Amino acid sequence: MRRTFSAVMLFFLVFCSAQAQQKTFFITGRAQGTTYQIQYLADREVVRKSSIDSVMGVIDQSMSLYQPHSLISMFNRQYHHELEIDTHMANVLREAFQVYEKSNGLFDVTVKPLVDLWGFGSEGVQLFPPQATVDSVLSFVGMEKIWLEGNQLHKRDPRTAIDLNGIAQGYTVDVLSQWLDERIIDSYLVEVGGEIRTKGLKAEGKSYEIAIERPEGAQSSSFVLQLTDLAVTTSGNYRKVAYHEGKKVHHHIDPKSGFPLQNIVVSATIIAPTAMEADAYDNVFMALSPQAGIALANRLAGIEVYIIYEGHGAFHEAYSDGFLSFVKP
């Protein structure tokens, strides 16, 4: 027993010594309409910014709505009923179908026509739509109207269009993380547009620390997360805001009613094994009541959530059973 303990201590000291000799490298840039940053530990520089930009460019050509010749833009054109897609888009769609099922349809990538209708897409509108128009668009919204056969994506109605922005950025973080793994980098933090994934420990042997983005005026606790080999994302409804009939409307659209959600949840922070999972589920928790959101998180393996919500003129907080274990003391 004593010999085993000595061996473990020797390994720990050698490991820490090796980490102490490594340097921290930083890469920053702009892509996918936002910023990104990568920091990693290594003996020497092994990652070039041009390589990172190239990886992200490939994903843009797959799932960017702002690239007219991307695969998703081609599929969304009304003369397409089916399209051969790449592995990136297929991976994202398979995860999207799973989250759609687990969320009882709250996460639905076919909401793009509704997002455009309400003016939250790339082209804004000045007038909000009447009920009849919303109902008309709802007739070709729903993930039961699309399906995958291998890498062949099909749709039943040519007017159906998809928007993967609620999950693709998290997937980008995962792809970059895997790219670093393949270069035998054992410690890193990858962040794209606020979506984050970590691996290993920092140079001083501590976990990566992430402060939770919180809406202005929130009076809840100031949490700093300590994460190792996990991802975290935050979604909030306090940025993209418009007004409809005297009420605030937000960019999260209810795929069942066709109207923007009017929920008391202000923000949701998700901890998950992958950034793609966290990115997808933050949309789900924004759509649920705080009580329903916490109940769902407690049922989902590997998912933790921290929710800020409004009530009686003040901000309140709620969190899943395992969330506090990741909060810095």
Side-chain angles (χ1 to χ4, degrees):
M1 183 70 175
R2 186 173 300 168
R3 183 177 299 171
T4 302
F5 177 75
S6 299
V8 171
M9 285 300 295
L10 178 62
F11 172 80
F12 178 75
L13 290 172
V14 171
F15 174 77
C16 289
S17 175
Q19 274 204 323
Q21 295 172 8
Q22 291 185 317
K23 299 177 182 178
T24 303
F25 295 90
F26 296 88
I27 300 173
T28 61
R30 292 194 62 86
Q32 300 184 350
T34 186
T35 59
Y36 71 82
Q37 64 167 317
I38 295 171
Q39 64 180 84
Y40 66 93
L41 277 181
D43 299 323
R44 58 184 176 81
E45 185 180 23
V46 294
V47 179
R48 301 287 183 181
K49 182 179 183 299
S50 58
S51 299
I52 298 298
D53 291 339
S54 177
V55 171
M56 299 182 80
V58 170
I59 296 174
D60 275 351
Q61 286 302 315
S62 176
M63 293 177 283
S64 172
L65 292 171
Y66 296 95
Q67 299 281 350
H69 301 296
S70 67
L71 290 173
I72 193 170
S73 295
M74 293 171 62
F75 179 75
N76 286 344
R77 295 190 180 110
Q78 290 197 16
Y79 56 78
H80 271 297
H81 276 85
E82 60 183 44
L83 186 71
E84 185 77 20
I85 60 176
D86 65 358
T87 301
H88 291 305
M89 193 169 168
N91 288 341
V92 168
L93 280 165
R94 290 188 184 100
E95 180 67 23
F97 278 112
Q98 289 189 35
V99 179
Y100 172 78
E101 293 293 334
K102 292 178 181 178
S103 68
N104 194 28
L106 281 176
F107 182 80
D108 190 325
V109 300
T110 69
V111 295
K112 185 183 186 304
L114 291 168
V115 172
D116 293 341
L117 183 66
W118 283 93
F120 291 115
S122 57
E123 298 180 7
V125 296
Q126 301 300 316
L127 298 175
F128 290 120
Q131 181 72 58
T133 303
V134 173
D135 290 342
S136 175
V137 173
L138 275 174
S139 67
F140 50 88
V141 169
M143 287 189 68
E144 73 280 359
K145 295 177 174 62
I146 63 171
W147 70 98
L148 265 175
E149 292 179 353
N151 277 18
Q152 194 82 13
L153 181 60
H154 304 259
K155 56 182 173 181
R156 303 183 192 285
D157 190 310
R159 296 170 297 175
T160 299
I162 60 175
D163 181 342
L164 299 175
N165 287 340
I167 186 173
Q169 206 160 78
Y171 176 74
T172 298
V173 171
D174 291 335
V175 170
L176 292 175
S177 298
Q178 182 179 2
W179 194 84
L180 295 173
D181 290 339
E182 292 168 355
R183 279 141 189 85
I184 321 299
I185 296 174
D186 296 322
S187 173
Y188 57 71
L189 182 148
V190 177
E191 181 264 332
V192 179
E195 325 291 321
I196 296 171
R197 184 166 174 174
T198 68
K199 180 182 180 180
L201 301 173
K202 296 188 293 183
E204 59 272 27
K206 296 181 180 179
S207 299
Y208 286 95
E209 295 186 351
I210 296 99
I212 295 177
E213 181 183 1
R214 299 165 60 243
E216 184 179 354
Q219 300 300 312
S220 51
S221 303
S222 180
F223 283 142
V224 175
L225 302 179
Q226 293 180 312
L227 300 181
T228 302
D229 302 336
L230 288 168
V232 61
T233 67
T234 295
S235 181
N237 64 14
Y238 45 91
R239 286 181 174 169
K240 295 181 180 179
V241 179
Y243 289 87
H244 175 57
E245 296 179 353
K247 297 180 180 179
K248 286 183 181 180
V249 294
H250 306 286
H251 68 287
H252 291 93
I253 304 295
D254 183 345
K256 298 179 180 180
S257 71
F259 281 75
L261 289 164
Q262 294 186 5
N263 196 2
I264 62 173
V265 173
V266 176
S267 71
T269 296
I270 317 302
I271 299 172
T274 69
M276 178 165 61
E277 290 174 274
D279 198 11
Y281 276 108
D282 65 26
N283 296 275
V284 175
F285 291 112
M286 288 298 300
L288 293 169
S289 69
Q291 296 79 9
I294 297 303
L296 175 61
N298 288 336
R299 292 196 303 268
L300 293 170
I303 303 292
E304 303 294 344
V305 63
Y306 168 64
I307 294 171
I308 297 175
Y309 63 97
E310 293 179 290
H312 304 291
F315 289 103
H316 307 274
E317 60 184 352
Y319 38 80
S320 55
D321 291 346
F323 178 81
L324 289 180
S325 65
F326 297 101
V327 175
K328 183 178 180 180

